Amino acid sequence: MERIFNFNAGPATMPLVVLEEAQSELLNFRGTGMSVMENSHRTKEYEAINSEAEALVKELLGVPENYRVLFLQGGASTQFAAVPMNLVSADSHADYILTGAWAEKAQKEASKFIKTNIAASTKEENYTRIPRTDEIKVSKGPAYVHLCSNNTIFGTQWQSFPDLGDVSLVGDMSSDIMSRRFDVSKFGLIYAGAQKNLGPAGVTVVIIRKDLLEGIPTNIPSMLRYDIHAKNDSLYNTPPSFSVYMVNLVLRWLKNNGGLVAAEKRNAEKAVLIYNTIDNSQGYYRGHALKDSRSLMNITFRLPSEDLEKKFAVEATQQGMIGLKGHRSVGGLRASIYNAMSLEGALALVDFMKVFQSKNG
Ligand SMILES: *Cc1c(COP(=O)(O)O)cnc(C)c1O
């Protein structure tokens, strides 16, 4: 059987060469006579994977010296609670910018533990856009301002990150980390579940500025404490070793293919192909996101009727393109075209869209 074009939002498509590499060393990892997943995490082989993955995250993103990179478990959803628990003291609070379902969930979870303030929201416009900087009303002295860099469900993305003065940003970058370059130093903390753009599910990358590791409350669960994980180089307990190994292979693949400069170019090329097809369809396809907020990772669009949308997804599947059904809160279709989606995949989708319109227009 041939491989399909997988447009799922997450877990998502992985680079074929990475899967083949993992396959080739599945039974005997670099002369150990066993798989990585059978090996102890207290061996020099596993420590080498752990430290190479950490070094590659730093190198590819240009992470400054005063940050730590951690590999944790529990997904981005666990970070919704861990961030406020670690970073906000009893007499303080944090600001949240609402740009979609995940940002809302982050704020709701945080509000169980701390006071939160909504600094901006585009909910009333059904999250079709990212707020402008002049719409963001930062409260007095928040511990951080939280934003979601790419809104997986609605298909919008911050084109650049706002300068909000002294306050640190915290970013949920689950669906666009490693898709483009940005200035890490604007952020106190960045987190991302791996299963969209970094590898398989099971590991979450956290990048945290070192000063934030000081003064973390000791009465929160050890597994949620960034200082404990940092002190133990992400080996406080058994890590998701096979997931970290896969992430490391994906990071190597990114590096070998021109790093984030080249990744950014490939991502723009794929997205432009699809957005142009939407824009040139005389209104047959309608994008959900406003043009200045469009995501290069998740492209959300509607057709003239729900019946046609269903038909589109069914026929696309028959032609080897799966995962195009949109999230129920937006409806329509969604093409997730993360780093590992090939140009061929984007071209196949565009061809299909044109043919579908001419047959059903
Ligand atoms: C998928 C996703 C999440 C949830 O991630 P889990 O790892 O399932 O907890 C959170 N935020 C964003 C932006 C996502 O795309």
Side-chain angles (χ1 to χ4, degrees):
M1 185 200 156
E2 270 186 61
R3 279 183 53 86
I4 44 140
F5 291 122
N6 176 0
F7 292 95
N8 273 321
T13 189
M14 301 256 299
L16 181 59
V17 289
V18 165
L19 295 173
E20 286 169 343
E21 193 175 355
Q23 183 182 41
S24 77
E25 48 190 23
L26 187 69
L27 302 183
N28 184 356
F29 174 71
R30 296 172 205 168
T32 55
M34 61 183 153
S35 167
V36 176
M37 62 182 122
E38 299 169 286
N39 201 356
S40 162
H41 58 290
R42 307 285 177 202
T43 56
K44 63 177 187 332
E45 292 89 13
Y46 186 72
E47 277 175 16
I49 293 169
N50 188 55
S51 46
E52 185 183 338
E54 189 181 321
L56 282 171
V57 169
K58 287 183 179 159
E59 182 184 337
L60 287 162
L61 279 179
V63 178
E65 272 305 300
N66 59 325
Y67 285 76
R68 290 296 309 268
V69 174
L70 307 173
F71 298 109
L72 308 180
Q73 297 187 67
S77 301
T78 297
Q79 297 309 310
F80 295 165
V83 166
M85 282 179 150
N86 278 267
L87 304 188
V88 186
S89 54
D91 55 353
S92 189
H93 67 281
D95 281 14
Y96 281 75
I97 300 177
L98 305 188
T99 51
W102 293 116
E104 274 183 25
K105 279 195 172 155
Q107 184 267 330
K108 270 209 191 91
E109 187 73 358
S111 67
K112 292 180 184 170
F113 312 105
I114 61 160
K115 263 194 295 207
T116 62
N117 170 59
I118 311 296
S121 170
T122 51
K123 189 184 177 83
E124 300 219 321
E125 294 157 67
N126 198 18
Y127 294 129
T128 48
R129 66 179 183 92
I130 300 294
R132 298 181 309 272
T133 303
D134 66 272
E135 293 175 294
I136 303 171
K137 307 282 178 246
V138 178
S139 67
K140 197 162 175 291
Y144 57 79
V145 177
H146 181 283
L147 60 79
C148 180
S149 57
N150 181 72
N151 299 284
T152 325
I153 292 172
F154 290 89
T156 62
Q157 186 175 27
W158 290 80
Q159 313 293 304
S160 64
F161 296 115
D163 260 316
L164 302 174
D166 271 350
V167 56
S168 294
L169 297 174
V170 166
D172 175 358
M173 299 200 179
S174 293
S175 54
D176 70 348
I177 192 161
M178 295 290 169
S179 70
R180 58 176 176 174
R181 290 163 299 163
F182 66 93
D183 180 4
V184 173
S185 72
K186 281 190 177 175
F187 290 83
L189 188 149
I190 291 161
Y191 61 93
Q195 69 272 25
K196 279 124 190 177
N197 222 1
L198 280 179
V203 61
T204 307
V205 176
V206 170
I207 303 169
I208 181 170
R209 212 174 56 221
K210 285 178 183 168
D211 61 281
L212 297 175
L213 295 168
E214 307 296 327
I216 287 175
T218 54
N219 64 343
I220 63 174
S222 304
M223 278 299 290
L224 296 186
R225 276 176 58 180
Y226 298 127
D227 52 351
I228 287 186
H229 289 294
K231 200 170 141 228
N232 290 281
D233 295 322
S234 307
L235 293 166
Y236 170 65
N237 73 323
T238 314
S241 50
F242 196 74
S243 294
V244 174
Y245 159 76
M246 291 301 293
V247 166
N248 189 43
L249 294 185
V250 170
L251 295 170
R252 278 189 189 176
W253 167 79
L254 270 174
K255 182 177 168 174
N256 292 338
N257 286 282
L260 296 199
V261 176
E264 202 172 314
K265 251 172 110 178
R266 290 192 298 268
N267 289 330
E269 191 183 353
K270 289 179 285 177
V272 164
L273 276 171
I274 301 169
Y275 282 124
N276 279 347
T277 307
I278 292 172
D279 293 342
N280 295 331
S281 71
Q282 261 108 30
Y284 187 76
Y285 296 111
R286 282 169 295 123
H288 176 78
L290 298 190
K291 282 189 182 171
D292 64 359
S293 298
R294 282 174 164 177
S295 167
L296 298 189
M297 299 278 97
N298 309 97
I299 300 182
T300 45
F301 58 100
R302 306 293 313 251
L303 270 72
S305 73
E306 282 188 23
D307 284 345
L308 284 170
E309 287 168 346
K310 272 196 200 114
K311 190 170 183 213
F312 183 101
V314 168
E315 290 185 7
T317 302
Q318 286 163 355
Q319 301 202 20
M321 286 169 274
I322 67 132
L324 286 161
K325 190 176 180 307
H327 192 275
R328 62 192 176 281
S329 57
V330 180
L333 285 306
R334 169 175 56 176
S336 297
I337 50 166
Y338 302 117
N339 283 345
M341 174 54 68
S342 60
L343 181 63
E344 291 70 41
L347 286 167
L349 177 60
V350 158
D351 283 345
F352 176 77
M353 287 170 77
K354 289 178 182 160
V355 172
F356 188 88
Q357 180 178 0
S358 69
K359 284 190 186 155
N360 300 280

